[in-house]
Amino acid sequence: MGFTDFLSDSGLTLLERWVTTRSYIVGYSPSQADVKCFQQLKSTPAVQNYPHAYRWYKHIASFEPEFSSLPGDPSKAYTAYGPESTELPVNPAKAPAKEEDDDDVDLFGSDDEEEDAEAVRVREERLAEYKKKKEGKTKPAAKSIVTLDVKPWDDETSMKELEENVRKIDKDGLVWGASKLVAVGFGIKKLQINLVVEDEKISLDELQQEIEEDEDHVQSTDIAAMQKL
């Protein structure tokens, strides 16, 4: 019974499985059983291969200054601890083969493969249906609300004609909104107009250039404010 060695993979696997559900080799607190097993390990168990043994080793290492005072029989060997030999064979490959029971022979094959295939088919159908629904949903177009300043040449420029020419610009993805005249000084007023644009369809640079082509009325344009909807 008990552990065999902690040098081979099979020995470390015994330890790994033993401490998977235990904090200590024996009982619910550190003892000489932990000390004896700890001292047989030449190095820390690899965390990627033996995570539970690694955790146990690091925990017991914190008690190292107290090893001599821990309860238990220090004369016992580490092989006195661990699983019964019947619990986990050192070399399971050498375990005697179980004679096949005639009752266990499946003359007609297992239904597991058919069930698995059916589960796969159902899952694939559901995924295809979900993908179709997702693709069918139209994503709302990204839009921005813009406040545009349109400046005239002087105080003699007809602001009514200027605004009419601006609003004559008609594009897919462009909606003109409210406007007002804002004084800029020396009797000159600028047109401040709101608009909503679809970002993928309307280039504000191109729109400003088109407005500024009205050279009889427009001196320049500026974006006063812009916000995503």
Side-chain angles (χ1 to χ4, degrees):
M1 64 173 289
F3 297 119
T4 54
D5 71 88
F6 294 144
L7 298 177
S8 65
D9 289 340
S10 59
L12 286 170
T13 299
L14 281 173
L15 176 63
E16 170 70 13
R17 295 184 181 180
W18 185 255
V19 297
T20 294
T21 57
R22 299 171 174 85
S23 297
Y24 304 100
I25 299 299
V26 174
Y28 300 97
S29 61
S31 68
Q32 291 300 318
D34 297 285
V35 173
K36 290 297 180 180
C37 294
F38 178 90
Q39 291 174 340
Q40 287 300 312
L41 287 159
K42 302 302 180 184
S43 60
T44 307
V47 65
Q48 64 271 25
N49 297 328
Y50 313 106
H52 299 289
Y54 172 86
R55 181 261 308 157
W56 168 83
Y57 184 90
K58 288 293 186 181
H59 180 55
I60 298 304
S62 66
F63 295 99
E64 198 162 5
E66 308 170 36
F67 274 3
S68 61
S69 62
L70 292 178
D73 185 355
S75 65
K76 278 188 177 182
Y78 75 98
T79 53
Y81 306 104
E84 296 288 342
S85 59
T86 54
E87 282 187 45
L88 186 63
V90 175
N91 191 347
K94 294 183 179 179
K98 180 182 177 183
E99 292 185 7
E100 189 173 308
D101 190 339
D102 290 342
D103 293 339
D104 293 335
V105 177
D106 187 354
L107 299 177
F108 300 99
S110 173
D111 291 336
D112 289 345
E113 291 184 4
E114 293 181 6
E115 292 175 357
D116 290 344
E118 178 67 13
V120 170
R121 184 187 66 78
V122 172
R123 183 174 68 251
E124 292 299 328
E125 286 181 356
R126 289 178 179 175
L127 287 173
E129 184 179 352
Y130 171 76
K131 185 177 180 182
K132 186 177 180 180
K133 287 182 179 180
K134 190 174 181 181
E135 290 176 349
K137 291 182 179 179
T138 303
K139 192 176 181 179
K143 296 181 180 180
S144 300
I145 182 169
V146 182
T147 300
L148 192 66
D149 285 347
V150 184
K151 299 175 183 177
W153 286 105
D154 51 39
D155 60 343
E156 296 181 359
T157 301
S158 172
M159 298 304 294
K160 181 179 179 181
E161 292 177 1
L162 182 150
E163 181 173 354
E164 287 176 351
N165 291 340
V166 169
R167 291 185 181 274
K168 283 179 183 178
I169 299 174
D170 186 17
K171 295 177 178 289
D172 182 28
L174 169 64
V175 178
W176 295 107
S179 64
K180 63 180 179 180
L181 297 178
V182 180
V184 294
F186 304 103
I188 301 174
K189 295 182 179 180
K190 66 181 178 180
L191 173 68
Q192 193 169 82
I193 186 168
N194 294 326
L195 55 145
V196 176
V197 297
E198 290 187 26
D199 297 340
E200 292 185 359
K201 294 181 179 180
I202 301 296
S203 166
L204 290 176
D205 289 337
E206 293 178 1
L207 179 61
Q208 286 180 260
Q209 290 175 9
E210 191 169 349
I211 294 173
E212 290 169 3
E213 288 177 3
D214 181 14
E215 296 179 351
D216 293 336
H217 299 86
V218 179
Q219 179 195 57
S220 63
T221 61
D222 291 304
I223 295 176
M226 181 176 177
Q227 183 178 354
K228 296 289 183 182
L229 290 179

